[in-house]
Amino acid sequence: GEGIHSTRVKTPMRSRLCLFEFVYFARPDSVIDGINVYQSRVEAGKRLAMDDDVEADMVIGVPDSALAAAMGYAQQSGIPYGDGLAKNRYVGRTFIQPEQGMRELGVRTKLNALTRNVRGKRLILVDDSIVRGTQLRETVDFLYESGAKEVHMRSACPPLSLIHI
């Protein structure tokens, strides 16, 4: 007939949500598909630490979206969590800049190492993901230039495989 009709589907629809909503884009106080984003990030960090046996003095995270994962890693591993990087709030997202030179310039002004906290330490650096690796390279350089003894990089985002259908 005519008009609007509703049909109830008996089997629940599977979510097609982008994983990056949980990893990076969503605010930490969001709830998506019944899952608390902040808690999912903490859990990702815990799982990251479960099979890791590296010896370190401090776990640090890349501000802001990786901080919860770094805390989870610290909780699971028993290695203390600390602040090692400070974020400049006046710089936007660097990985979406159109040119590589612009991305690198953005990263150089985006983060600063907290020298007093990292000097002489073996660090586990937790980031939310690795998109291009530009920020990662610059961040690790910052930490070594600031006196870090070792930097062990960990990515809280699980490896992704692209499937072409």
Side-chain angles (χ1 to χ4, degrees), residues 81-101:
Y81 170 84
D83 292 323
L85 296 165
K87 182 178 180 181
N88 179 345
R89 307 247 177 239
Y90 301 102
V91 178
R93 293 190 167 128
T94 53
F95 82 92
I96 56 176
Q97 293 292 330
E99 296 174 15
Q100 181 67 17

Side-chain angles (χ1 to χ4, degrees), residues 61-118:
V62 177
D64 284 313
S65 50
L67 298 181
M71 287 182 213
Y73 189 106
Q75 289 170 11
Q76 182 67 36
S77 67
I79 299 168
Y81 170 84
D83 292 323
L85 296 165
K87 182 178 180 181
N88 179 345
R89 307 247 177 239
Y90 301 102
V91 178
R93 293 190 167 128
T94 53
F95 82 92
I96 56 176
Q97 293 292 330
E99 296 174 15
Q100 181 67 17
M102 292 169 71
R103 287 192 293 271
E104 289 176 5
L105 180 61
V107 169
R108 283 190 201 105
T109 57
K110 182 176 182 177
L111 295 172
N112 292 307
L114 299 174
T115 305
R116 183 177 213 149
N117 289 2
V118 302

Side-chain angles (χ1 to χ4, degrees), residues 27-28 78 133:
R27 287 179 14 175

Side-chain angles (χ1 to χ4, degrees), residues 5 11 14 24-25 35 38-40 52-53 67 81 83 89 92 106 112 118 120 131-132 139 163:
H5 297 278
T11 55
R14 288 180 27 205
Y24 183 77
F25 288 121
I35 299 167
Y38 179 83
Q39 203 52 48
S40 74
D52 206 359
D53 61 354
L67 298 181
Y81 170 84
D83 292 323
R89 307 247 177 239
N112 292 307
V118 302
V131 177
R132 290 190 171 101
T139 303
I163 301 170

